[in-house]
């Protein structure tokens, strides 16, 4: 038997007492909260991807700049709004909001 102690590379006191999520960060701020939040899904007209297709988004602004049938009120452009045939189908299938809040990762 060896009388050597196992080496510990951690120097100083453990700030979290060994719990991974004990220090709140932007990545884990929602974990363990009792507050339910709703955030738009990515393809929702308010989501990260969907908002790019609105008239103020990166892609939608191109149609607005070209104008005519590609503007949000034009024959082609209005199909891509959240009420249009293409945009509405995407909004219905992939849009909406997701709920976050208390879940399986609730901290004690």
């Amino acid at each position: 038997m060896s009388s050597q102690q196992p080496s510990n590379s951690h120097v100083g006191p453990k700030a979290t007492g060994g719990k991974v999520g004990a220090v709140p960060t932007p990545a884990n701020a929602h974990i363990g909260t009792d507050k339910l939040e709703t955030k738009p899904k990515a393809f929702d007209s308010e989501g990260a991807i969907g908002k790019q297709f609105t008239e103020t988004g990166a892609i939608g602004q191109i149609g607005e700049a070209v104008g005519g049938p590609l503007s949000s009120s034009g024959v082609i452009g209005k199909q891509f709004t959240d009420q249009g045939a293409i945009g509405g189908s995407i909004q219905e299938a992939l849009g909406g909001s997701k709920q976050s809040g208390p879940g399986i990762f609730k901290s004690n």
Side-chain angles (χ1 to χ4, degrees), residues 8-23:
N8 185 355
S9 62
H10 180 76
V11 178
K14 292 182 181 177
T16 63
K19 292 184 178 180
V20 174
V23 176

Side-chain angles (χ1 to χ4, degrees), residues 2-105:
S2 174
S3 63
Q4 292 181 340
Q5 295 281 339
S7 65
N8 185 355
S9 62
H10 180 76
V11 178
K14 292 182 181 177
T16 63
K19 292 184 178 180
V20 174
V23 176
T25 65
N28 68 6
H30 68 284
I31 297 175
T33 62
D34 290 332
K35 185 173 90 172
L36 290 177
E37 298 175 9
T38 55
K39 296 180 181 179
K41 291 184 179 178
F43 284 95
D44 186 81
S45 61
E46 297 295 319
I49 297 170
K51 71 181 176 184
Q52 303 305 318
F53 289 89
T54 64
E55 57 266 359
T56 58
I59 297 169
Q61 284 181 349
I62 296 170
E64 294 297 316
V66 172
L70 297 179
S71 74
S72 61
S73 59
V75 175
I76 297 170
K78 70 180 175 184
Q79 303 304 316
F80 290 90
T81 65
D82 56 356
Q83 285 89 27
I86 297 168
S89 297
I90 292 172
Q91 178 78 13
E92 187 177 311
L94 302 174
S97 58
K98 60 183 177 181
Q99 203 172 44
S100 64
I104 61 172
F105 298 113

